[in-house]
Each structure stands twice: as C-alpha cells, then as structure tokens.
Amino acid sequence: MRFDQHTVVLLTRPSDPPELPQDAIDRLQNAHLAHQAGLVQQGLVLAAGPFLHPDDEQLRGFVVLSIAPDDARALFANDPAVRAGRLVARVTTWLLPEGNLRFEGVPVPQSMLEAASGD
C-alpha cells in the first residue's frame, strides 16, 4: 500500500501561559490568525482550524501542511502566539493511505473580527 505523507501541527496551550490583559490576548490572536492566513496564501496549509470542546483543554488547533516537519517548526516558531508563549506548536508526520483524503482550497480567517462575522 502507498501512503500520502503530511506534516501536522497541533497547537496546544502550555500549562503555564503568560498572564496577559485581554486586549493583549486579542491582539496576539489576531496576529496568530494573520500569520496562519499568510501561510495559506503561500499554499503551505492544506487545512487548519480550532478544536471545540476537546477532552484535553490544552488542545487548541490543528494544521495540516504540505511541507517538511523541520520547515513547519521554523514557520510556527515565528507565529506570534507561539513566540509570546500562549501556544506551543507540536509537529509530527501523518501517514494515510494514498488518495484517502483530499484537501480543497478553503480560506481561513485573517482576524477575530472576520472569524466572528460568519462570512
């Protein structure tokens, strides 16, 4: 059997994130979304989105990329929320039977305002 290989980034909340005022958290979230939208525009992201109601409250988001794991580590080291210590990027390789999953070009929000608009 042949396998497709993708890089997956699990975004998690660290056990000791820095204490920040809500306006700083909101700015970081907007910067994180803009960073991720930039990766989508570059054609690097195949799928991305947050988790809702996870069993593990530290799980925040999931990203599937079309690049090597070391490249993903470098890109997410520059994510503003990761740099600020609000998120941790855990990178791994995901194998699945060839052709089992197809990714369509779907836009991602570039800000919290855009995400909240529902458009």
Side-chain angles (χ1 to χ4, degrees), residues 11-90:
L11 294 169
T12 62
R13 176 84 62 227
S15 58
D16 59 345
E19 297 283 331
L20 298 172
Q22 188 60 49
D23 64 321
I25 291 171
D26 291 346
R27 284 192 307 272
L28 273 175
Q29 182 64 16
N30 276 328
H32 161 71
L33 292 174
H35 177 265
Q36 193 142 283
L39 299 179
V40 169
Q41 290 168 354
Q42 293 175 57
L44 305 176
V45 173
L46 300 172
F51 290 118
L52 295 176
H53 315 296
D55 287 340
D56 180 346
E57 287 298 316
Q58 289 182 308
L59 291 174
R60 307 306 297 165
F62 179 79
V63 185
V64 182
L65 300 123
S66 62
I67 57 176
D70 287 341
D71 295 333
R73 284 182 188 92
L75 289 173
F76 277 86
N78 288 317
D79 182 308
V82 172
R83 283 195 331 252
R86 295 285 301 168
L87 291 175
V88 174
R90 302 183 185 279

